[in-house]
């Protein structure tokens, strides 16, 4: 009997028992996005292997949703995510004199509002 | 008098949960893929949690011993779990099939209790945990569907797992001597009704996975667990579960 010990044997999706190389078509990776509260943005948390979207959701629930608060999960096939190549990282570089375009003001706005709310709470 | 019936119902639910939880936890570290390893172990933990919650009701409301004593210090013959949950995990096909057949029965049982049990502590608990078990059935359905529609080997394995599991699965619905009383007092609508709903729910899923349903002939059903008659597998499992405790039974934890 083949060992079940994962340190010795894990299922290798590329090489099934007939020895043929498979393209992973029956188990592909899905990107998992986690939503903590209703209305809050979903955050990318990792990937799972699955044979279909439902399996991806079911598996993601235990892998990424079993601890802490979860309201919902999204999954999307990794191959459906479009991205720039790593060689294009230079696209995002910016010159120092363009920092006025950074959304720094928003951060300050958050702090001002927090301060105002605190004061308001004190006076209520 | 109804207390005896309540205890019987709670003990069988709690013992089922504890034993299947322990069994399924044996997959930890050896699951077929990492993700499934995690999911199976996590669901096993849920089951242990359900067992503790049920033992707590037995303790706090019905005057039985504390949950640790009930789970770890009773004798084999006092357990009321069905023989189905005692069976070794076997290969993944059997564990998956058991997970599917057993968890659907559990989910329906909790739904029935949540919606109409006159015994409030149990109705409350059922409301709280039926979502968890709903997930367990969703998980099982997903894999049954995938493998039932998979390759020849996965279909053949599922079918033989179903053939083996079926008479044991029907043993889940073994009637207790308190059946009529529990129905009359609106505590629980009974094993017969549970079995009817379970067949209604599971058969279409099995058929969609191209599986042939084995005979439901009463003479083949494996009963006994609910009366304390167990398979040869329960005792060694309990011994293993208690191995550490047995080294010093009075140790403070």
């Amino acid at each position: 009997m083949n060992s079940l010990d994962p340190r010795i044997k894990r299922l290798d999706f590329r090489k099934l028992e007939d020895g043929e190389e498979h393209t992973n078509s029956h188990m592909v990776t899905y990107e998992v996005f986690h939503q903590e509260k209703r209305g809050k943005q979903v955050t990318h948390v990792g990937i799972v292997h699955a044979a279909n979207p439902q399996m991806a959701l079911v598996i993601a629930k235990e892998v990424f949703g079993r601890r802490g608060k979860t309201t919902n999960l999204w999954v999307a096939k990794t191959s459906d995510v479009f991205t720039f190549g790593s060689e294009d990282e230079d696209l995002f570089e910016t010159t120092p004199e363009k920092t006025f375009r950074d959304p720094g003001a928003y951060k300050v706005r958050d702090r001002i509002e927090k301060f105002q709310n605190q004061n308001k709470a004190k006076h209520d | 008098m109804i207390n005896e019936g309540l205890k019987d119902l709670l003990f069988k639910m709690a013992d089922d949960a504890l034993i299947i939880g322990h069994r399924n936890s044996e997959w930890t570290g050896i699951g077929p893929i990492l993700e499934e390893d995690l999911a199976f172990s996590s669901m096993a933990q849920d089951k242990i949690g359900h067992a503790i919650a049920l033992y707590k009701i037995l303790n706090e409301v019905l005057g039985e011993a504390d949950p640790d004593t009930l789970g770890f210090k009773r004798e084999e013959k006092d357990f009321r779990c069905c023989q189905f949950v005692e069976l070794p995990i076997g290969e993944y096909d059997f564990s998956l099939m058991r997970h599917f057949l057993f968890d659907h029965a559990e989910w329906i049982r909790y739904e029935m209790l949540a919606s109409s049990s006159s015994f409030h502590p149990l109705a409350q608990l059922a409301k709280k945990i039926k979502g968890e078990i709903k997930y367990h059935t969703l998980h099982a359905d997903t894999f049954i569907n995938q493998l039932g529609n998979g390759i020849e080997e996965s279909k053949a394995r599922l079918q033989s797992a179903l053939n083996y599991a079926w008479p044991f699965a029907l043993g889940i619905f073994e009637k207790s001597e308190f059946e009529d009383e529990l129905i009359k007092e609106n505590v629980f609508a009974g094993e017969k009704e549970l079995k009817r709903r379970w067949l209604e729910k599971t058969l279409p899923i099995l058929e969609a996975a191209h599986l042939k349903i084995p005979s439901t002939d009463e003479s083949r059903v494996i009963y006994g667990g609910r009366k304390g008659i167990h398979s040869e597998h329960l005792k060694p499992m309990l011994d293993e579960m208690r191995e550490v405790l047995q080294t010093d039974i009075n140790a403070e934890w």
Side-chain angles (χ1 to χ4, degrees):
Chain A
M1 191 190 143
N2 289 329
S3 171
L4 285 169
D5 188 331
R7 286 162 299 186
I8 299 168
K9 187 176 187 251
R10 279 273 185 199
L11 210 60
D12 185 346
F13 298 124
R14 281 152 307 183
K15 283 185 193 159
L16 292 185
E17 282 179 4
D18 54 12
E20 238 180 86
E21 290 275 333
H22 288 259
T23 53
N24 259 357
S25 59
H26 66 305
M27 288 291 263
V28 297
T29 57
Y30 283 79
E31 304 293 322
V32 182
F33 303 84
H34 176 264
Q35 187 182 36
E36 195 184 327
K37 281 186 194 155
R38 193 179 295 172
K40 254 194 147 186
Q41 78 272 30
V42 292
T43 313
H44 183 250
V45 282
I47 64 162
V48 291
H49 289 87
N52 57 52
Q54 182 177 342
M55 189 185 287
L57 272 175
V58 159
I59 280 174
K61 189 259 172 190
E62 286 304 330
V63 177
F64 296 107
R66 75 183 189 285
R67 299 212 173 101
K69 175 106 181 83
T70 303
T71 290
N72 208 344
L73 291 166
W74 293 7
V75 294
K77 246 188 205 176
T78 303
S79 61
D80 286 340
V81 176
F82 296 91
T83 166
F84 287 107
S86 57
E87 71 277 13
D88 291 328
E89 249 175 60
D90 51 359
L91 290 174
F92 301 102
E93 273 169 28
T94 185
T95 50
E97 56 272 26
K98 273 166 71 182
T99 48
F100 62 88
R101 288 168 56 157
D102 292 348
Y106 296 118
K107 282 188 204 154
V108 178
R109 192 69 234 158
D110 284 350
R111 264 183 277 159
I112 291 168
E113 268 170 24
K114 197 178 159 198
F115 181 73
Q116 284 174 337
N117 285 338
Q118 270 172 355
N119 271 353
K120 196 163 165 266
K122 262 184 224 163
H123 292 119
D124 278 348
Chain B
M1 192 51 202
I2 187 71
N3 269 9
E4 292 308 305
L6 279 174
K7 282 184 190 177
D8 188 73
L9 177 66
L10 285 162
F11 266 121
K12 75 179 166 193
M13 292 173 66
D15 293 346
D16 272 357
L18 179 68
I19 302 304
I20 192 88
H22 187 86
R23 274 295 180 221
N24 285 348
S25 76
E26 292 173 23
W27 278 105
T28 305
I30 56 168
I33 58 168
L34 177 65
E35 287 89 335
E36 182 59 355
D37 191 317
L38 255 165
F40 230 80
S41 306
S42 182
M43 287 187 291
Q45 269 186 330
D46 289 345
K47 300 283 193 229
I48 306 286
H50 302 162
I52 295 172
L54 290 160
Y55 288 139
K56 257 195 187 148
I57 296 180
L58 277 161
N59 174 229
E60 288 165 8
V61 186
L62 297 167
E64 287 286 328
D66 65 286
D68 280 345
T69 304
L70 296 179
F72 285 98
K73 294 182 183 168
R74 273 181 309 146
E75 285 181 52
E76 180 198 358
K77 66 173 173 50
D78 297 330
F79 274 77
R80 289 290 172 268
C81 52
C82 57
Q83 293 196 12
F84 193 27
V85 296
E86 304 163 9
L87 301 175
I89 55 173
E91 303 230 0
Y92 182 70
D93 46 38
F94 171 71
S95 279
L96 170 63
M97 188 52 79
R98 172 165 61 184
H99 160 46
F100 170 77
L101 297 170
F102 176 79
D103 284 349
H104 269 286
E106 278 308 271
W107 184 33
I108 299 166
R109 191 190 292 278
Y110 278 104
E111 286 233 303
M112 286 162 72
L113 292 167
S115 65
S116 66
S117 181
S118 61
F119 183 49
H120 283 285
L122 188 54
Q124 286 306 109
L125 177 69
K127 272 182 203 138
K128 219 170 96 185
I129 61 185
K130 72 185 171 69
E132 250 175 31
I133 306 199
K134 179 183 176 184
Y135 169 75
H136 296 184
T137 64
L138 183 66
H139 175 273
D141 294 354
T142 305
F143 279 85
I144 292 283
N145 189 275
Q146 180 68 24
L147 296 173
N149 289 291
I151 57 176
E152 285 314 311
E153 189 192 355
S154 68
K155 289 178 193 173
R157 274 172 169 260
L158 269 197
Q159 184 67 58
S160 73
L162 177 62
N163 296 347
Y164 174 65
W166 192 252
F168 285 99
L170 292 172
I172 295 173
F173 312 107
E174 179 174 358
K175 283 184 192 158
S176 84
E177 53 183 305
F178 305 103
E179 206 71 14
D180 295 339
E181 204 182 328
L182 291 173
I183 296 170
K184 206 179 101 221
E185 300 287 334
N186 292 319
V187 173
F188 176 57
E191 300 297 325
K192 195 176 159 197
E193 173 64 9
L194 174 60
K195 181 179 162 186
R196 188 188 67 74
R197 294 196 199 185
W198 175 80
L199 286 169
E200 206 175 84
K201 192 81 210 292
T202 52
L203 294 189
I205 299 168
L206 292 170
E207 276 157 12
H210 308 292
L211 294 163
K212 276 205 270 322
I213 312 302
S215 153
T216 47
D217 184 1
E218 269 294 309
S219 65
R220 295 180 61 234
V221 181
I222 294 160
Y223 291 125
R226 305 300 190 205
K227 301 201 160 55
I229 302 159
H230 296 287
S231 70
E232 74 268 30
H233 305 292
L234 181 62
K235 182 73 170 53
M237 201 210 90
L238 290 174
D239 289 344
E240 189 187 297
M241 201 170 85
R242 297 159 173 180
E243 205 180 340
V244 176
L245 181 70
Q246 287 301 331
T247 57
D248 182 357
I249 196 94
N250 296 315
E252 300 251 344
W253 294 85

